[in-house]
Every structure is written in C-alpha cells, then in structure tokens.
C-alpha cells in the first residue's frame, strides 16, 4: 500500500531553519516533491525532484530551500533555510508515478505544519 509520511514540521523563528522528511513506502516514484498550503490559499508547488535528481523550485523559495532524495531509503527531504513568515503553511509530500497511458498518478501525505514566527 502506498504511503507517504511527513515529519519535521514545527515552529521556528524567522531566519531559522527546518528540515522536512517524507518517508515513502509501497512505491518508487518518478518524481517527488513538496507542496504547501496556507489558510485560505491554494496549494502551491514548493520543490520537486525526479528519480534521477533533477530539481525544480518555486521562485519564492529558490536559494533558500533545498530538496534532496535518498532513493535507497525512498525518502525525500526539504531543507528550509532563511525561513520567512510567508513560508507558514501545511507542507505536503507528493509522489508521482507513471501509470498507464503515460499519465502520472499523484499520492499525498497528510501534511506537516510549518509555522514561522516574525
């Protein structure tokens, strides 16, 4: 059974750092990533990484966040530095795997809260 479990969220002061982890099981994903959703806002992409290590970042986090992936552990990480109050959101781990017809199926974790105080 496919499962994604996030950890590492918490409360941090602006300028601080957090590292999120997402442990996946039941599948190897072609791409994994992090999305976030603040109250009243749409869920937005934060960062993604392919199985080969190609990364993509939202402009808002570029240079501050680093996504990495340990395929042996089937785990993806998000190192968040220089955190800002606008980074406050629930962060969701996402996995995409290739399905029939070259479509991608999405799998989601339950989310972990990141709160950045001013």
């Amino acid at each position: 059974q496919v499962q994604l479990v996030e950890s590492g969220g918490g409360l941090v002061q602006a300028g601080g750092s957090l590292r999120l982890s997402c442990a996946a099981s039941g599948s190897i994903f072609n791409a994994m990533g992090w999305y976030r959703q603040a109250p009243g806002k749409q869920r937005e992409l934060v960062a993604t990484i392919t199985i080969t290590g190609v990364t993509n970042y939202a402009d808002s986090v570029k240079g501050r966040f680093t996504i990495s992936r340990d395929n042996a552990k089937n785990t993806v990480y998000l190192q968040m530095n220089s955190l800002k109050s606008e980074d406050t959101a629930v962060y969701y781990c996402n996995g995409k795997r290739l399905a029939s017809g070259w479509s991608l199926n999405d799998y989601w974790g339950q989310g972990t809260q990141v709160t950045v105080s001013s």
Side-chain angles (χ1 to χ4, degrees), residues 5 20-24 32 68-77:
V5 180
L20 306 182
S21 298
C22 174
M32 298 186 71
S68 60
R69 181 172 181 171
D70 186 336
N71 290 329
K73 296 181 178 180
N74 204 11
T75 300
V76 66
Y77 305 93

Side-chain angles (χ1 to χ4, degrees), residues 39-101:
K41 302 289 186 179
Q42 298 294 312
R43 187 172 298 186
E44 64 175 355
L45 182 147
V46 177
T48 60
I49 184 167
T50 71
I51 197 167
T52 58
V54 178
T55 59
N56 183 53
Y57 296 92
D59 288 340
S60 60
V61 307
K62 198 170 299 181
R64 299 188 298 120
F65 292 9
T66 302
I67 189 169
S68 60
R69 181 172 181 171
D70 186 336
N71 290 329
K73 296 181 178 180
N74 204 11
T75 300
V76 66
Y77 305 93
L78 185 68
Q79 179 66 47
M80 304 185 294
N81 298 326
S82 302
L83 283 162
K84 306 173 181 179
S85 60
E86 53 261 43
D87 296 318
T88 296
V90 177
Y91 284 70
Y92 296 92
C93 182
N94 169 262
K96 298 181 185 292
R97 70 176 182 180
L98 187 65
S100 61

Side-chain angles (χ1 to χ4, degrees), residues 6-14 16-21 34 78 80 83-85 87-91 111-118:
E6 303 99 333
S7 62
L11 175 65
V12 66
Q13 190 176 356
S17 299
L18 284 174
R19 189 180 75 163
L20 306 182
S21 298
W34 293 92
L78 185 68
M80 304 185 294
L83 283 162
K84 306 173 181 179
S85 60
D87 296 318
T88 296
V90 177
Y91 284 70
T112 185
Q113 177 71 50
V114 172
T115 303
V116 183
S117 62
S118 301

